[in-house]
């Protein structure tokens, strides 16, 4: 699909997800109304508030009604002296989510148009790109948000790590609705365009490339996320001033999960919990296996973006399975089932990008001359 045809649905996508997130943030105050806990239980209200607060222009929206500021993360920007900084941070955040989602949607629709049986793949890719755009947006706006708390130089890197992880599940749901509408618009704009048949990728090359990319994801999910390795990463790097205590930030951008050995847990239960990690890797492998054949041209940017989306999809599948198995739904309520959606996206961006490059290189080395032409 040409850029001219892809620009309209991409622009619709950027505007729609920005408006949905603005509306969600503006709705955060509704959770503080008297009687809200009569409709939803208190735990669900607290969880929903956590989802919405990162996109609210009101910095006090995350505090229970009548509770004064505490100086913690929920109190960022509540002081009148720094209210302008908080508003600036939110303006940058919404502008950034528009730009990042627009750029990703433009690339995905151009290289993965919803034609010739690609519609489900386009929908899933656009959906997965939403949390990525949200994470990049909150990270870009983080310095202004941290400064609005009045103590920007204190533990800056740990604060930056916390803000980068705060986009929340609301972006996932906003991205799902956005992706569905964007696909419909893209199908309309694609009418009359030249047919873009799916390419044939040698099965052996596709499996080898998918295995290479999945191995990169497993490096983070299995090796780096092991308790002792994660603890070493947390404590082994030092710094001074604004660059002190980088451990939290490193973990946020390098670890896709966290796990320990069986310990005192029965082996059967431990293996059951690890099934979520297996599901994540299985989704990533399957997506990377299909991706080269779905793309109209398997360029480095397209493969990298597609691999990031595949990693995010795998993480979301694993998180839902893990939450469904851990037995906390009866305690925290049904909202808790989706509370981990959007977690791990910074690391998915890091290792998904590396996996995409690894897949591209593997295809170039093993795909044959016909495939090599489409990879240039």
């Amino acid at each position: 699909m040409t850029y001219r045809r892809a620009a309209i649905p991409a622009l619709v996508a950027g505007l729609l997800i920005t408006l949905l997130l603005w509306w969600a943030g503006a709705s955060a105050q509704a959770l503080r109304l008297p009687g809200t806990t009569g409709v939803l239980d208190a735990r669900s209200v607290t969880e929903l508030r956590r989802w919405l607060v990162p996109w609210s222009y009101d910095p006090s929206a995350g505090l229970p009604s009548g509770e004064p500021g505490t100086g913690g993360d929920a109190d960022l920007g509540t002081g009148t002296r720094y209210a302008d900084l908080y508003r600036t941070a939110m303006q940058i955040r919404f502008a950034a989510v528009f730009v990042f989602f627009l750029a990703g949607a433009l690339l995905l629709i151009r290289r993965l148009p919803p034609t010739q049986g690609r519609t489900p793949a386009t929908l899933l890719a656009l959906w997965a790109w939403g949390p990525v755009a949200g994470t990049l947006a909150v990270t870009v706006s983080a310095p202004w948000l941290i400064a609005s708390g009045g103590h920007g130089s204190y533990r800056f890197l740990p604060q930056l790590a916390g803000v980068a992880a705060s986009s929340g599940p609301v972006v996932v749901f906003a991205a799902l609705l956005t992706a569905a509408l964007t696909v419909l618009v893209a199908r309309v704009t694609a009418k009359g365009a030249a047919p873009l048949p799916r390419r044939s990728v040698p099965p052996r090359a596709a499996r080898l490339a998918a295995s290479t990319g999945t191995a990169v994801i497993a490096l983070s999910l299995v090796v780096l996320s092991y308790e002792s390795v994660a603890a070493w990463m947390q404590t082994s790097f030092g710094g001074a001033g604004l660059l002190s205590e980088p451990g939290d930030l490193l973990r946020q951008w390098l670890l896709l999960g966290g796990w320990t050995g069986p310990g005192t847990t029965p082996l059967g239960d431990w293996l059951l919990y690890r099934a979520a990690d297996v599901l994540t890797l299985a989704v990533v492998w399957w997506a990377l296996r299909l991706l080269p054949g779905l793309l109209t041209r398997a360029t480095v940017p397209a493969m990298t973006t597609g691999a990031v989306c595949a990693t995010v999809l795998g993480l979301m599948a694993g998180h839902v399975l893990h939450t469904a198995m851990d037995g906390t739904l009866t305690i925290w309520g049904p909202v808790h089932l989706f509370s981990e959606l959007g977690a791990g996206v910074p690391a998915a961006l890091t290792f998904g990008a590396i996996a995409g490059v690894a897949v591209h290189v593997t295809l170039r080395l093993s795909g044959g001359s016909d495939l090599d032409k489409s990879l240039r």
Side-chain angles (χ1 to χ4, degrees), residues 47-148:
E47 187 69 18
L48 288 173
R49 185 183 294 121
R50 182 182 70 84
W51 295 10
L52 301 179
V53 164
W55 303 99
S56 174
Y57 264 88
D58 182 3
S60 66
L63 298 172
S65 182
E67 182 178 334
T70 61
D73 290 342
D75 198 33
L76 288 174
T78 54
T80 56
R81 293 173 56 193
Y82 306 103
D84 288 342
L85 275 174
Y86 185 86
R87 284 193 292 270
T88 300
M90 296 310 298
Q91 290 167 359
I92 293 172
R93 179 167 297 188
F94 281 105
V97 79
F98 170 77
V99 171
F100 284 125
F101 197 84
L102 171 65
L106 184 62
L107 177 61
L108 289 170
I109 295 170
R110 173 165 162 76
R111 296 301 183 195
L112 195 62
T115 58
Q116 302 295 326
R118 297 185 180 93
T119 301
T122 308
L123 176 65
L124 291 174
L126 289 171
W127 180 28
W129 185 252
V132 176
T135 295
L136 291 173
V138 297
T139 303
V140 167
S141 64
W144 288 268
L145 191 71
I146 293 171
S148 72

Side-chain angles (χ1 to χ4, degrees), residues 22 26 51 55 103 107 131 147 160 179-180 191 194 202 212 236 270 295 301 339 343:
W22 177 85
W51 295 10
W55 303 99
L107 177 61
L160 180 60
K191 288 182 178 180
T212 302
S236 296
W270 181 82
L295 293 171
S339 63

Side-chain angles (χ1 to χ4, degrees), residues 25-36 45 49 52 61:
S27 302
Q29 284 286 359
L31 296 174
R32 303 177 63 192
L33 296 174
T36 303
V45 170
R49 185 183 294 121
L52 301 179

